[in-house]
Coordinates of all heavy atoms in Angstrom, one line a residue:
M1 N 156.5 -52.1 273.7 CA 156.4 -51.6 272.3 C 154.8 -51.8 271.7 O 154.3 -52.9 271.9 CB 157.3 -52.4 271.3 CG 157.6 -51.6 270.1 SD 158.8 -52.5 269.1 CE 157.8 -53.4 268.0
K2 N 154.3 -50.7 271.2 CA 153.0 -50.8 270.7 C 152.9 -51.5 269.4 O 153.7 -51.3 268.5 CB 152.4 -49.4 270.5 CG 151.9 -48.7 271.8 CD 151.2 -47.5 271.4 CE 151.0 -46.7 272.7 NZ 151.3 -45.2 272.4
P3 N 151.8 -52.4 269.2 CA 151.7 -53.0 267.9 C 151.5 -52.0 266.8 O 150.9 -50.9 267.0 CB 150.5 -53.9 268.0 CG 150.1 -53.9 269.5 CD 150.8 -52.7 270.1
R4 N 152.2 -52.2 265.7 CA 152.1 -51.2 264.6 C 150.7 -51.0 264.1 O 150.4 -49.9 263.6 CB 152.9 -51.7 263.4 CG 154.4 -51.2 263.6 CD 155.1 -51.0 262.3 NE 156.4 -50.7 262.6 CZ 157.4 -51.1 261.7 NH1 157.1 -51.7 260.7 NH2 158.6 -50.8 262.1
W5 N 149.9 -52.1 264.1 CA 148.5 -51.9 263.5 C 147.7 -50.9 264.1 O 146.8 -50.2 263.6 CB 147.9 -53.2 263.3 CG 147.6 -54.0 264.6 CD1 148.5 -54.9 265.2 CD2 146.5 -53.9 265.4 NE1 147.9 -55.4 266.4 CE2 146.7 -54.7 266.5 CE3 145.3 -53.2 265.3 CZ2 145.7 -54.9 267.6 CZ3 144.3 -53.3 266.3 CH2 144.6 -54.2 267.4
I6 N 147.9 -50.7 265.6 CA 147.1 -49.7 266.3 C 147.5 -48.3 265.7 O 146.6 -47.5 265.4 CB 147.4 -49.8 267.8 CG1 146.8 -51.1 268.3 CG2 146.8 -48.6 268.5 CD1 147.0 -51.3 269.8
L7 N 148.8 -48.0 265.6 CA 149.2 -46.8 265.0 C 148.7 -46.6 263.6 O 148.2 -45.4 263.3 CB 150.7 -46.6 265.0 CG 151.4 -46.3 266.4 CD1 152.9 -46.4 266.2 CD2 150.9 -45.0 266.9
A8 N 148.6 -47.7 262.9 CA 148.2 -47.5 261.5 C 146.6 -47.2 261.5 O 146.2 -46.3 260.7 CB 148.4 -48.9 260.7
I9 N 145.8 -47.8 262.3 CA 144.4 -47.5 262.4 C 144.2 -46.1 262.8 O 143.3 -45.4 262.2 CB 143.7 -48.5 263.4 CG1 143.6 -49.9 262.7 CG2 142.3 -48.0 263.7 CD1 143.0 -51.0 263.6
I10 N 144.9 -45.6 263.8 CA 144.8 -44.2 264.3 C 145.1 -43.3 263.2 O 144.4 -42.3 262.9 CB 145.7 -43.9 265.6 CG1 145.1 -44.7 266.7 CG2 145.7 -42.5 265.9 CD1 146.0 -44.7 267.9
T11 N 146.2 -43.5 262.5 CA 146.6 -42.6 261.3 C 145.6 -42.6 260.3 O 145.2 -41.5 259.8 CB 148.0 -43.1 260.8 OG1 148.9 -43.3 261.8 CG2 148.5 -42.2 259.7
V12 N 145.0 -43.8 260.0 CA 144.0 -43.8 258.8 C 142.8 -43.0 259.3 O 142.2 -42.2 258.4 CB 143.6 -45.3 258.5 CG1 142.4 -45.3 257.7 CG2 144.8 -46.0 257.8
N13 N 142.4 -43.1 260.6 CA 141.2 -42.4 261.0 C 141.4 -40.9 261.0 O 140.5 -40.2 260.6 CB 140.9 -42.9 262.5 CG 140.0 -44.0 262.5 OD1 138.8 -44.0 262.2 ND2 140.6 -45.2 262.9
L14 N 142.6 -40.5 261.5 CA 142.9 -39.1 261.4 C 142.9 -38.5 259.9 O 142.4 -37.4 259.7 CB 144.2 -38.7 262.0 CG 144.3 -38.9 263.6 CD1 145.7 -38.7 264.1 CD2 143.3 -37.9 264.2
L15 N 143.5 -39.3 259.0 CA 143.4 -38.8 257.6 C 142.0 -38.7 257.1 O 141.7 -37.8 256.4 CB 144.3 -39.8 256.8 CG 145.8 -39.7 257.0 CD1 146.5 -40.7 256.2 CD2 146.3 -38.3 256.7
I16 N 141.1 -39.7 257.4 CA 139.8 -39.7 256.9 C 139.0 -38.5 257.5 O 138.4 -37.7 256.8 CB 139.0 -41.0 257.3 CG1 139.5 -42.1 256.5 CG2 137.6 -40.8 257.1 CD1 139.1 -43.5 256.9
L17 N 139.2 -38.2 258.9 CA 138.7 -37.1 259.5 C 139.1 -35.7 258.8 O 138.3 -34.9 258.5 CB 139.0 -37.0 261.0 CG 138.1 -37.8 261.9 CD1 138.7 -37.6 263.3 CD2 136.7 -37.2 261.9
A18 N 140.4 -35.6 258.5 CA 140.9 -34.4 257.9 C 140.3 -34.3 256.5 O 139.9 -33.2 256.1 CB 142.4 -34.5 257.8
A19 N 140.1 -35.4 255.8 CA 139.5 -35.3 254.4 C 138.1 -34.9 254.5 O 137.6 -34.1 253.8 CB 139.7 -36.6 253.7
L20 N 137.3 -35.4 255.5 CA 135.9 -35.1 255.7 C 135.7 -33.6 255.9 O 134.7 -33.1 255.4 CB 135.3 -35.9 256.8 CG 135.0 -37.4 256.4 CD1 134.5 -38.1 257.7 CD2 133.9 -37.5 255.3
V21 N 136.6 -33.0 256.7 CA 136.5 -31.5 256.9 C 136.4 -30.7 255.6 O 135.7 -29.8 255.5 CB 137.6 -31.1 257.8 CG1 137.7 -29.6 257.9 CG2 137.5 -31.6 259.2
F22 N 137.2 -31.2 254.7 CA 137.2 -30.5 253.4 C 136.2 -30.9 252.5 O 135.7 -30.0 251.6 CB 138.6 -30.6 252.7 CG 139.7 -29.9 253.5 CD1 140.5 -30.5 254.4 CD2 139.9 -28.5 253.2 CE1 141.4 -29.8 255.1 CE2 140.8 -27.8 253.9 CZ 141.7 -28.5 254.8
I23 N 135.7 -32.1 252.5 CA 134.6 -32.6 251.7 C 133.3 -32.2 252.1 O 132.4 -31.8 251.3 CB 134.7 -34.2 251.5 CG1 136.0 -34.6 251.0 CG2 133.6 -34.7 250.6 CD1 136.3 -36.1 251.1
Y24 N 133.0 -32.2 253.4 CA 131.7 -31.8 254.0 C 131.9 -30.7 255.1 O 131.5 -30.9 256.2 CB 131.0 -32.9 254.7 CG 130.7 -34.1 253.7 CD1 131.3 -35.3 253.9 CD2 129.7 -34.0 252.7 CE1 131.0 -36.4 253.0 CE2 129.5 -35.0 251.9 CZ 130.1 -36.2 252.0 OH 129.8 -37.3 251.2
P25 N 132.5 -29.5 254.7 CA 132.7 -28.5 255.7 C 131.4 -28.0 256.4 O 131.4 -27.7 257.6 CB 133.3 -27.3 254.9 CG 132.9 -27.6 253.5 CD 132.8 -29.0 253.3
H26 N 130.3 -28.0 255.7 CA 129.1 -27.6 256.3 C 128.6 -28.5 257.4 O 127.8 -28.1 258.3 CB 128.0 -27.3 255.2 CG 127.7 -28.5 254.4 ND1 128.6 -29.2 253.6 CD2 126.6 -29.3 254.3 CE1 128.0 -30.2 253.0 NE2 126.8 -30.3 253.4
L27 N 129.0 -29.8 257.3 CA 128.6 -30.7 258.4 C 129.6 -30.8 259.5 O 129.4 -31.0 260.6 CB 128.4 -32.1 257.8 CG 127.3 -32.2 256.7 CD1 127.2 -33.7 256.2 CD2 125.9 -31.9 257.4
M28 N 130.9 -30.6 259.1 CA 132.0 -30.9 260.0 C 132.4 -29.6 260.8 O 132.8 -29.8 262.0 CB 133.3 -31.3 259.3 CG 133.1 -32.7 258.5 SD 132.9 -34.1 259.6 CE 134.6 -34.2 260.2
V29 N 132.4 -28.4 260.3 CA 133.0 -27.3 261.0 C 132.0 -26.1 261.1 O 132.3 -25.2 261.8 CB 134.3 -26.8 260.5 CG1 135.4 -27.7 261.0 CG2 134.2 -26.7 259.0
A30 N 130.9 -26.1 260.3 CA 130.0 -24.9 260.4 C 129.3 -24.8 261.8 O 128.8 -25.8 262.2 CB 129.0 -24.9 259.3
P31 N 129.2 -23.7 262.4 CA 128.6 -23.5 263.7 C 127.1 -23.7 263.7 O 126.5 -23.8 264.7 CB 129.1 -22.2 264.2 CG 129.4 -21.4 263.0 CD 129.8 -22.4 261.9
G32 N 126.5 -23.5 262.5 CA 125.1 -23.6 262.3 C 124.5 -23.2 261.0 O 125.4 -22.8 260.1
E33 N 123.3 -23.2 260.9 CA 122.7 -22.8 259.6 C 122.8 -21.3 259.4 O 122.8 -20.5 260.3 CB 121.2 -23.1 259.5 CG 120.9 -24.6 259.2 CD 119.4 -24.9 259.4 OE1 118.6 -24.0 259.2 OE2 119.1 -26.1 259.7
L34 N 122.9 -20.9 258.1 CA 122.9 -19.4 257.8 C 121.5 -19.0 257.8 O 120.5 -19.7 257.8 CB 123.5 -19.3 256.3 CG 124.9 -19.7 256.2 CD1 125.4 -19.5 254.8 CD2 125.9 -19.0 257.1
I35 N 121.3 -17.6 257.7 CA 120.0 -17.1 257.6 C 119.3 -17.5 256.3 O 120.0 -17.9 255.3 CB 120.0 -15.4 257.6 CG1 120.9 -14.9 256.5 CG2 120.3 -14.9 259.0 CD1 120.8 -13.5 256.3
P36 N 118.0 -17.7 256.3 CA 117.3 -18.3 255.1 C 117.7 -17.5 253.8 O 117.9 -18.2 252.7 CB 115.8 -18.0 255.4 CG 115.7 -18.0 256.9 CD 117.0 -17.4 257.3
A37 N 118.0 -16.2 253.8 CA 118.3 -15.5 252.6 C 119.6 -16.0 252.1 O 119.9 -15.8 250.8 CB 118.4 -14.0 252.9
H38 N 120.4 -16.6 252.9 CA 121.8 -17.1 252.4 C 121.7 -18.7 252.1 O 122.8 -19.2 252.0 CB 122.9 -16.7 253.4 CG 123.3 -15.3 253.3 ND1 123.9 -14.7 254.3 CD2 123.2 -14.5 252.2 CE1 124.2 -13.4 253.9 NE2 123.7 -13.2 252.7
S39 N 120.6 -19.3 252.2 CA 120.5 -20.7 252.1 C 121.1 -21.2 250.8 O 121.7 -22.4 250.7 CB 119.1 -21.3 252.1 OG 118.2 -20.7 251.2
Q40 N 121.2 -20.4 249.7 CA 121.7 -20.8 248.4 C 123.2 -20.9 248.5 O 123.8 -21.7 247.8 CB 121.4 -19.9 247.3 CG 120.0 -20.1 246.8 CD 119.8 -19.2 245.6 OE1 120.4 -18.1 245.3 NE2 118.8 -19.5 244.7
I41 N 123.9 -20.2 249.4 CA 125.4 -20.4 249.6 C 125.8 -21.1 250.9 O 126.9 -21.0 251.3 CB 126.0 -18.9 249.5 CG1 125.4 -18.0 250.5 CG2 126.0 -18.4 248.0 CD1 126.1 -16.6 250.6
E42 N 124.8 -21.9 251.4 CA 125.1 -22.6 252.6 C 126.4 -23.4 252.5 O 127.1 -23.5 253.6 CB 123.9 -23.6 252.8 CG 123.8 -24.4 254.1 CD 123.1 -23.6 255.2 OE1 122.0 -23.2 255.1 OE2 123.9 -23.3 256.2
T43 N 126.7 -24.1 251.4 CA 127.9 -24.9 251.4 C 129.1 -24.3 250.7 O 130.1 -24.8 250.6 CB 127.6 -26.2 250.6 OG1 127.1 -25.9 249.4 CG2 126.5 -27.1 251.3
E44 N 128.9 -22.9 250.4 CA 130.0 -22.3 249.8 C 130.7 -21.3 250.8 O 130.6 -20.1 250.8 CB 129.6 -21.4 248.6 CG 129.1 -22.3 247.4 CD 128.4 -21.5 246.3 OE1 128.8 -20.3 246.1 OE2 127.4 -22.0 245.8
C45 N 131.5 -22.0 251.7 CA 132.0 -21.3 252.8 C 132.9 -20.1 252.3 O 132.9 -19.0 253.0 CB 132.9 -22.2 253.7 SG 132.1 -23.8 254.0
F46 N 133.7 -20.3 251.3 CA 134.6 -19.3 250.9 C 133.9 -18.1 250.1 O 134.6 -17.2 249.7 CB 135.7 -19.9 250.0 CG 136.6 -20.8 250.8 CD1 136.7 -22.1 250.5 CD2 137.2 -20.3 251.9 CE1 137.6 -22.9 251.2 CE2 138.1 -21.1 252.7 CZ 138.2 -22.4 252.4
A47 N 132.5 -18.1 250.0 CA 131.9 -17.0 249.6 C 132.0 -15.8 250.6 O 132.1 -14.6 250.2 CB 130.4 -17.3 249.3
C48 N 132.1 -16.2 251.9 CA 132.3 -15.2 252.9 C 133.6 -15.3 253.7 O 134.1 -14.3 254.2 CB 131.1 -15.4 253.9 SG 129.4 -15.1 253.2
H49 N 134.1 -16.5 253.9 CA 135.3 -16.8 254.7 C 136.5 -16.7 253.8 O 136.6 -17.2 252.7 CB 135.3 -18.1 255.4 CG 134.3 -18.2 256.5 ND1 134.6 -17.9 257.8 CD2 132.9 -18.5 256.5 CE1 133.5 -18.0 258.5 NE2 132.5 -18.4 257.8
A50 N 137.6 -16.0 254.3 CA 138.9 -16.0 253.5 C 139.8 -16.9 254.4 O 139.8 -16.8 255.6 CB 139.4 -14.6 253.5
P51 N 140.6 -17.8 253.7 CA 141.5 -18.7 254.4 C 142.4 -17.9 255.4 O 143.0 -16.9 255.0 CB 142.3 -19.3 253.3 CG 141.5 -19.2 252.1 CD 140.7 -17.9 252.2
L52 N 142.4 -18.3 256.6 CA 143.2 -17.8 257.8 C 142.9 -16.4 258.2 O 143.5 -15.9 259.1 CB 144.7 -17.9 257.4 CG 145.3 -19.2 256.9 CD1 146.8 -19.1 256.6 CD2 145.1 -20.3 258.0
R53 N 141.9 -15.8 257.5 CA 141.6 -14.4 257.9 C 140.2 -14.2 258.4 O 139.8 -13.1 258.9 CB 141.8 -13.4 256.6 CG 143.2 -13.2 256.3 CD 143.5 -11.9 255.5 NE 142.8 -12.1 254.2 CZ 142.1 -11.0 253.6 NH1 142.1 -9.9 254.2 NH2 141.5 -11.3 252.5
G54 N 139.4 -15.3 258.3 CA 138.0 -15.2 258.7 C 137.1 -14.5 257.7 O 137.4 -14.5 256.6
V55 N 136.0 -14.0 258.3 CA 135.0 -13.3 257.3 C 135.5 -11.9 257.1 O 135.8 -11.1 258.0 CB 133.7 -13.3 258.0 CG1 132.7 -12.5 257.2 CG2 133.1 -14.7 258.2
T56 N 135.6 -11.5 255.8 CA 136.1 -10.2 255.5 C 134.9 -9.4 254.9 O 134.0 -9.9 254.2 CB 137.2 -10.2 254.5 OG1 136.8 -10.7 253.2 CG2 138.4 -11.0 254.9
Q57 N 135.0 -8.1 255.1 CA 133.9 -7.2 254.5 C 133.9 -7.2 253.0 O 132.9 -7.1 252.4 CB 134.2 -5.7 254.9 CG 134.1 -5.6 256.5 CD 134.5 -4.1 256.9 OE1 134.7 -3.2 256.0 NE2 134.5 -3.9 258.2
E58 N 135.1 -7.3 252.4 CA 135.2 -7.4 251.0 C 134.4 -8.5 250.4 O 133.7 -8.4 249.3 CB 136.6 -7.5 250.5 CG 137.5 -6.3 250.8 CD 138.0 -6.3 252.2 OE1 138.2 -7.3 252.9 OE2 138.0 -5.1 252.8
K59 N 134.3 -9.7 251.1 CA 133.5 -10.8 250.6 C 132.1 -10.5 250.5 O 131.4 -10.8 249.6 CB 133.8 -12.1 251.4 CG 135.2 -12.6 251.4 CD 135.4 -13.5 250.3 CE 136.7 -14.2 250.2 NZ 136.8 -15.2 249.2
C60 N 131.5 -9.8 251.6 CA 130.1 -9.4 251.6 C 129.8 -8.5 250.5 O 128.8 -8.6 249.9 CB 129.7 -8.8 253.0 SG 130.3 -9.7 254.4
A61 N 130.8 -7.5 250.3 CA 130.6 -6.5 249.4 C 130.7 -7.0 247.9 O 130.3 -6.3 247.0 CB 131.6 -5.3 249.6
S62 N 131.3 -8.2 247.8 CA 131.3 -8.8 246.4 C 129.9 -9.1 245.9 O 129.7 -9.2 244.7 CB 132.2 -10.0 246.4 OG 131.6 -11.1 247.0
C63 N 128.9 -9.3 246.8 CA 127.5 -9.5 246.4 C 126.6 -8.4 246.7 O 125.7 -8.0 246.0 CB 127.0 -10.8 247.1 SG 127.7 -12.3 246.5
H64 N 126.9 -7.7 247.9 CA 126.1 -6.6 248.3 C 126.7 -5.3 248.1 O 127.9 -5.1 248.3 CB 125.8 -6.7 249.8 CG 125.0 -7.9 250.3 ND1 123.7 -8.0 250.2 CD2 125.5 -9.1 250.7 CE1 123.3 -9.2 250.6 NE2 124.4 -10.0 251.0
T65 N 125.9 -4.3 247.6 CA 126.4 -3.0 247.4 C 126.0 -2.2 248.8 O 124.9 -2.2 249.1 CB 125.7 -2.2 246.3 OG1 125.7 -3.1 245.2 CG2 126.3 -0.9 246.0
V66 N 127.1 -1.8 249.4 CA 126.9 -1.2 250.8 C 125.8 -0.2 250.8 O 124.9 -0.2 251.7 CB 128.3 -0.7 251.4 CG1 128.1 -0.1 252.7 CG2 129.3 -1.8 251.5
A67 N 125.8 0.8 249.9 CA 124.8 1.8 249.9 C 123.4 1.3 249.8 O 122.5 2.0 250.1 CB 125.2 2.9 248.8
N68 N 123.2 0.1 249.2 CA 121.9 -0.4 248.9 C 121.4 -1.3 250.1 O 120.2 -1.7 249.9 CB 121.8 -1.2 247.7 CG 122.0 -0.3 246.4 OD1 121.9 0.9 246.5 ND2 122.2 -1.0 245.3
I69 N 122.1 -1.5 251.1 CA 121.7 -2.4 252.2 C 120.5 -1.9 252.8 O 120.3 -0.7 253.2 CB 122.8 -2.6 253.2 CG1 124.0 -3.4 252.6 CG2 122.3 -3.3 254.5 CD1 125.2 -3.6 253.5
G70 N 119.4 -2.7 252.9 CA 118.2 -2.3 253.5 C 117.3 -1.6 252.5 O 116.1 -1.3 252.9
V71 N 117.8 -1.3 251.3 CA 117.0 -0.5 250.3 C 116.7 -1.4 249.1 O 115.5 -1.6 248.8 CB 117.8 0.8 249.9 CG1 116.9 1.6 248.9 CG2 118.1 1.6 251.1
L72 N 117.7 -2.0 248.5 CA 117.6 -2.9 247.4 C 118.2 -4.2 247.7 O 119.2 -4.2 248.4 CB 118.3 -2.3 246.1 CG 117.7 -0.9 245.6 CD1 118.6 -0.5 244.5 CD2 116.3 -1.0 245.2
T73 N 117.6 -5.3 247.1 CA 118.3 -6.6 247.3 C 119.4 -6.7 246.3 O 119.8 -5.8 245.5 CB 117.3 -7.7 246.9 OG1 117.1 -7.7 245.5 CG2 116.0 -7.6 247.7
T74 N 120.2 -7.8 246.4 CA 121.4 -8.0 245.5 C 120.9 -7.9 244.0 O 121.7 -7.7 243.1 CB 122.1 -9.2 245.8 OG1 121.2 -10.4 245.6 CG2 122.8 -9.3 247.1
R75 N 119.7 -8.2 243.7 CA 119.1 -8.3 242.4 C 118.4 -6.9 242.0 O 117.8 -6.8 241.0 CB 118.1 -9.4 242.2 CG 118.8 -10.7 242.3 CD 117.7 -11.9 242.1 NE 118.3 -13.1 242.7 CZ 118.2 -13.5 244.0 NH1 117.6 -12.7 244.8 NH2 118.8 -14.6 244.4
G76 N 118.5 -5.9 242.9 CA 118.0 -4.6 242.6 C 116.6 -4.4 242.8 O 116.0 -3.4 242.4
V77 N 115.9 -5.4 243.5 CA 114.5 -5.3 243.9 C 114.4 -4.6 245.2 O 115.1 -4.8 246.1 CB 113.9 -6.7 244.0 CG1 112.4 -6.7 244.3 CG2 114.1 -7.5 242.7
P78 N 113.5 -3.5 245.2 CA 113.3 -2.8 246.5 C 112.9 -3.8 247.7 O 112.1 -4.7 247.5 CB 112.1 -1.8 246.2 CG 112.1 -1.7 244.7 CD 112.6 -3.0 244.2
V79 N 113.6 -3.5 248.8 CA 113.3 -4.3 250.0 C 112.0 -3.8 250.6 O 111.8 -2.6 250.9 CB 114.4 -4.2 251.1 CG1 114.1 -4.9 252.3 CG2 115.8 -4.7 250.4
V80 N 111.0 -4.8 250.9 CA 109.7 -4.4 251.4 C 109.8 -4.7 252.9 O 110.1 -5.8 253.4 CB 108.6 -5.2 250.8 CG1 107.3 -4.7 251.4 CG2 108.6 -5.1 249.3
K81 N 109.7 -3.6 253.7 CA 109.8 -3.8 255.2 C 108.5 -4.3 255.8 O 107.4 -3.9 255.4 CB 110.1 -2.5 255.9 CG 111.5 -2.0 255.6 CD 112.2 -1.5 256.8 CE 113.6 -1.1 256.6 NZ 113.9 0.1 255.9
A82 N 108.6 -5.3 256.7 CA 107.3 -5.9 257.4 C 106.9 -4.8 258.4 O 107.6 -4.0 259.0 CB 107.7 -7.2 258.2
K83 N 105.5 -4.7 258.5 CA 105.0 -3.6 259.3 C 104.9 -4.2 260.8 O 104.6 -5.4 261.0 CB 103.6 -3.2 258.8 CG 103.7 -2.4 257.5 CD 102.6 -1.5 257.3 CE 102.9 -0.6 256.1 NZ 101.7 -0.3 255.4
Ligands
LIG1 C1 126.9 -15.6 254.1 C2 128.3 -15.7 254.6 C3 128.8 -16.9 255.2 C4 128.9 -18.1 254.7 C5 128.5 -18.6 253.3 C6 129.5 -19.0 255.7 N1 129.8 -18.2 256.8 FE1 130.7 -18.9 258.6 N2 130.4 -17.1 259.4 C7 129.9 -16.0 258.8 C8 130.0 -14.9 259.7 C9 129.5 -13.5 259.4 C10 130.5 -15.3 260.9 C11 130.8 -14.6 262.1 C12 132.2 -14.0 262.0 C13 132.7 -13.3 263.2 O1 132.1 -13.2 264.2 O2 133.8 -12.6 263.0 C14 130.8 -16.8 260.7 C15 131.4 -17.6 261.6 C16 131.8 -18.9 261.4 C17 132.6 -19.8 262.4 C18 132.9 -19.3 263.7 C19 134.4 -18.9 263.8 C20 134.7 -17.6 263.1 O3 135.4 -17.5 262.1 O4 134.1 -16.6 263.6 C21 132.8 -20.9 261.8 C22 133.5 -22.1 262.3 C23 132.2 -20.8 260.4 N3 131.6 -19.6 260.2 C24 132.3 -21.9 259.4 C25 131.6 -21.8 258.2 C26 131.6 -22.9 257.3 C27 132.2 -24.3 257.6 C28 130.9 -22.5 256.2 C29 130.5 -23.3 255.0 C30 129.8 -24.6 255.1 C31 130.5 -21.1 256.5 N4 131.0 -20.7 257.7 C32 129.7 -20.3 255.5 C33 129.4 -15.9 257.5 C34 129.4 -16.9 256.6
LIG2 C1 127.4 -15.1 247.2 C2 126.7 -13.7 247.4 C3 126.5 -13.3 248.8 C4 127.5 -13.1 249.7 C5 129.0 -13.3 249.7 C6 126.8 -12.4 250.9 N1 125.5 -12.4 250.7 FE1 124.1 -11.6 251.9 N2 122.6 -12.1 250.6 C7 122.8 -12.7 249.3 C8 121.5 -12.9 248.7 C9 121.3 -13.5 247.3 C10 120.5 -12.4 249.6 C11 119.0 -12.5 249.4 C12 118.4 -11.2 249.3 C13 119.0 -10.3 248.2 O1 119.1 -10.8 247.0 O2 119.6 -9.2 248.5 C14 121.2 -11.9 250.8 C15 120.7 -11.4 251.9 C16 121.4 -10.8 253.0 C17 120.7 -10.0 254.0 C18 119.2 -9.8 254.2 C19 118.6 -11.0 255.0 C20 117.0 -10.9 255.0 O3 116.5 -12.0 255.5 O4 116.4 -9.9 254.5 C21 121.7 -9.7 254.9 C22 121.5 -8.8 256.2 C23 122.9 -10.1 254.3 N3 122.7 -10.7 253.1 C24 124.2 -9.8 254.9 C25 125.4 -10.3 254.4 C26 126.7 -10.3 255.0 C27 126.9 -9.6 256.4 C28 127.5 -10.9 254.3 C29 129.1 -11.2 254.5 C30 129.4 -11.9 255.8 C31 126.9 -11.4 253.1 N4 125.6 -11.0 253.2 C32 127.5 -12.1 252.1 C33 124.0 -12.9 248.7 C34 125.2 -12.8 249.4

């Protein structure tokens, strides 16, 4: 029979790990940094991700107007292309 305190320690560790995933998602589960243009929403995962559905186009379109991509920024400033 295993001593109970070992199971208790394992349980507590798993609970702490599960909590950290939700408290620090950008450190625990993000695959890497976002492009510099998105650095302001680095820790707002649900700006792009929908629970259980992944990244949806609707989320991108909530900030970006599809017809303006590559022409105007989200703030309506013309995009200047590098030569
Ligand atoms: C600016 C939008 C944006 C934000 C904000 C964002 N992501 Fe993502 N993420 C993406 C895109 C786009 C992909 C690629 C999705 C694909 O290939 O279907 C992705 C992929 C991932 C993946 C790989 C698995 C998958 O669903 O394809 C993980 C894990 C992930 N993101 C975690 C995070 C976490 C955690 C955060 C917050 C800390 C975060 N992301 C914030 C856009 C974003
Ligand atoms: C919370 C708002 C928000 C969401 C959601 C968002 N973006 Fe952005 N995105 C921005 C801002 C702000 C910029 C900076 C330039 C601007 O204002 O257009 C930007 C810039 C970009 C750029 C230009 C990058 C560059 O360096 O010029 C691309 C491409 C882009 N976003 C694609 C996406 C895609 C694809 C998604 C969905 C996965 C997405 N964005 C979701 C706010 C958002």
Side-chain angles (χ1 to χ4, degrees):
M1 200 176 96
K2 279 189 194 136
R4 271 205 187 151
W5 61 269
I6 293 183
L7 283 176
I9 288 176
I10 293 173
T11 308
V12 167
N13 273 291
L14 288 177
L15 288 176
I16 291 173
L17 274 177
L20 283 174
V21 166
F22 288 95
I23 300 170
Y24 298 115
H26 55 298
L27 298 176
M28 298 291 289
V29 282
E33 282 175 25
L34 298 179
I35 54 171
H38 284 154
S39 58
Q40 280 187 338
I41 49 172
E42 188 83 60
T43 56
E44 292 169 38
C45 316
F46 293 121
C48 299
H49 290 267
L52 306 180
R53 289 200 297 144
V55 175
T56 64
Q57 296 174 4
E58 293 77 36
K59 293 272 184 175
C60 309
S62 70
C63 291
H64 296 279
T65 310
V66 176
N68 288 348
I69 288 175
V71 182
L72 299 177
T73 69
T74 55
R75 291 178 200 88
V77 180
V79 174
V80 185
K81 291 222 172 81
K83 292 208 174 147

